[in-house]
Amino acid sequence: MLSEPRSGRLAAWGNALLAGLVSPDDAALAIVGEDAVHRVEGLPGEAGPVGLTLALGRLRSLGATGFRVALPAPGHPLGLSGPPDFNARALEAEEAVLTSGVPYGLVPEVSEAGPAGDLHVEVVWCCLPVREAPPADVPSLGEAERELAEALRDATAVLSRLDVAGSGPVAEAAVDAYRARAERGRDVLAPGYPPRAVRVLELAQRVGLLVSVAHENGHGGAVSASEMAARGEALRPVERVARRAQVAAYNAYVEERGR
């Protein structure tokens, strides 16, 4: 969770496009971000992969009214609605986009080439049929905000007790650096999203970053198997809360429209 998921960018800027708040070209540019190119394959009426601008226009002409995010993990099909084949591909990618109004979903396949620091990244979004059903385990923005506040407090307390390097100045410095990069490099969400969704997403990314820093900076004082297991148990529900909140934030546009 150190960076914005590609599914989040596609859903957020796709929603802004559907709302008439950005042009097709601006939406496609924001979705691609630092990648080299994005294409969509499997679209109805298209024999091969097409560019994002055409793909978003085609989905809109088919009846798309919004885009939702799914961020599934093993044992947690967050945001998915089936069928099993689509869920399996989304779980492998750890993300997907579901289209409201028409029964299609998009799963990214990412290919990278080149040395570190000069990667050439291409993304192909596979358009597949999905089941029209409520997405799994997606909270409201209010629920997500309350859960995040508790998760941030609990994670800091537990990781400090276990002497893990995700709870002190190192973690705070990493969080500050990440937020500075984010502010320089992108807008949070996209035009048309409510301020509460922006706030929830920022807090979800902060909580997710603390979890990542704890994982990436060694075991701290948790050197025994039991202490390492305790750390894993402490981080698992926190990471789950952060993923749920991210999905709630990205899906807020569709939820607000449905009221």
Side-chain angles (χ1 to χ4, degrees), residues 5-8 10-11 31 37-43 49-50 52 55 59 67-72 78-99 103-111 122-131:
R6 291 181 173 90
S7 56
L10 193 154
I31 293 166
V37 64
H38 284 216
R39 298 184 180 90
V40 181
E41 69 174 14
L43 272 175
V50 300
L52 269 178
L59 288 169
F67 297 97
R68 296 175 180 267
V69 170
L71 296 177
L78 175 61
L80 297 177
S81 59
D85 288 348
F86 180 83
N87 287 4
R89 294 186 68 162
L91 180 59
E92 183 178 359
E94 300 182 339
E95 60 178 316
V97 173
L98 283 75
T99 305
Y104 296 109
L106 303 166
V107 179
E109 293 184 353
V110 182
S111 59
E122 296 189 3
V123 179
V124 175
W125 294 90
C126 302
C127 183
L128 302 163
V130 298
R131 184 179 298 148

Side-chain angles (χ1 to χ4, degrees), residues 11-24 27 56 60 64-67 190-193 253-254 257:
W13 288 92
N15 286 330
L17 173 63
L18 293 177
L21 299 174
V22 297
S23 71
L56 292 171
R60 178 166 55 181
T65 58
F67 297 97
Y193 274 82
Y253 170 86
V254 176
R257 236 178 145 265

Side-chain angles (χ1 to χ4, degrees), residues 131-156:
R131 184 179 298 148
E132 293 185 280
D137 198 36
V138 178
S140 68
L141 276 176
E143 291 171 325
E145 195 166 29
R146 288 192 296 273
E147 291 176 359
L148 281 169
E150 294 175 3
L152 185 59
R153 182 181 63 248
D154 293 347
T156 301

